[in-house]
Amino acid sequence: MSSSYIKIDEINHINAELSNYCNASCPMCARFDSDQNLIESVTNKSHTTLDDVKYRIGEKVIKNLKIFGSCGNLGDGTMNPQCFEIFEFVRSLNSKTKLTINTNGGARTPEFFSALAKIGVKVIFSIDGLEDTNHLYRRNVKWQKLISNVQAYISAGGQARWEYLIFKHNQHQVTEAEGLSKKLGFYEFVRKTTERWNDFDSKGNWISRDSLRVDDYYLEKASTEFTTKYANSQGFEIFEKKPEAVKKSTRQIKCLSFTPKNVEIYIDANGNVSPCCWMGDPSIHESKNIIKDYRKVNLRHTSLQEILEGEYFNEIWKGIQGLPQEYKLITCENMCGVCNE
């Protein structure tokens, strides 16, 4: 079986979830269900290994990459004990590829971050506030440890980017945080809002909310001023986030993992392969509805080429095309939008 979707020789971007372990406990993370219970079946279980990269992704694919990154999903890549060795191996095969990792910055040591800087790994630090507010979303992250890691990384020549999720409790600190980023030596400061206010609850019902109870306080959506200006828009029409409306749509989806300049795959810490990180772990994601055999989407049981040519990727592609009667993933249309008619 084959399709006109992602082909192994065209892959130029790999997003590898290096670990599903995490030192933090962020309330809206996919690690938790809507009732704030840790989903133990898919967290704190696995790391992407150096052998996975060497022998299951393979040198041929790595040498063709423009980007090898780890944005994480259920975990923080720095928690992988082989994190540095994986980036070092990719760099040894491909001196031009862009290496990136997203992290809350609260794990490991200054020496570790300094080492990442020296081999050219770009680090995106997720810091959502200042010392008195960052921990309200990035729970368990210690401010002084975070700042020590940041300083070590930047001092070693690293390119640090600060990504700031805006909530009601930290919106008043955006300007001050940007000033601190410049003082510390960040090359970029990015304001963002989260899309996760709208989601499925633990019973599979679609919910839309403006606040979330966390321990003895509430997370609240930022004011309209911020949510409008810094929404994560891709620059084209995003379909209204109502599952039934999406399923009935026959409009073609604009897949950002499959463009003339970007042909991407996502590999989770268990070895499952999908087109992008928004699909997360397929055992808890909507995509489980079109997977009949998990071994056939897992790099540790099936070759990458066979996965890309297999039923899972073909079913995703049919949905992207908007073909009548085919299963369309809600995530695809909600996160990538639809093509202009």
Side-chain angles (χ1 to χ4, degrees), residues 64 81 161-162 196 237 280:
N64 195 45
R161 169 174 165 147
W162 181 327
R196 292 180 176 174
E237 182 179 354

Side-chain angles (χ1 to χ4, degrees), residues 244-255:
E244 292 308 313
V246 173
K247 288 180 180 178
K248 292 177 183 178
S249 171
T250 57
R251 301 173 72 181
Q252 186 176 357
I253 294 167
K254 185 180 180 71
C255 177

Side-chain angles (χ1 to χ4, degrees), residues 17-21 42-48 269-271 300:
E17 180 186 42
L18 295 185
S19 179
N20 59 31
Y21 286 73
V42 295
T43 53
N44 303 335
K45 303 288 185 183
S46 303
H47 304 295
T48 296
N270 294 308
R300 294 168 186 167

Side-chain angles (χ1 to χ4, degrees), residues 139-196:
R139 293 187 295 175
N140 300 331
V141 174
K142 306 301 181 185
W143 182 260
Q144 290 305 322
K145 184 175 179 62
L146 160 64
I147 295 301
S148 293
N149 287 338
V150 166
Q151 291 174 324
Y153 175 76
I154 293 174
S155 295
Q159 278 194 307
R161 169 174 165 147
W162 181 327
E163 290 193 349
Y164 190 111
L165 276 181
I166 305 173
F167 298 93
K168 186 175 181 179
H169 67 263
N170 67 10
Q171 64 186 30
H172 66 289
Q173 295 178 320
V174 172
T175 301
E176 185 179 354
E178 183 172 14
L180 177 61
S181 75
K182 293 176 180 178
K183 182 179 178 180
L184 290 171
F186 281 85
Y187 84 96
E188 189 174 17
F189 181 87
V190 179
R191 302 163 176 83
K192 299 175 68 176
T193 57
T194 179
E195 302 284 349
R196 292 180 176 174

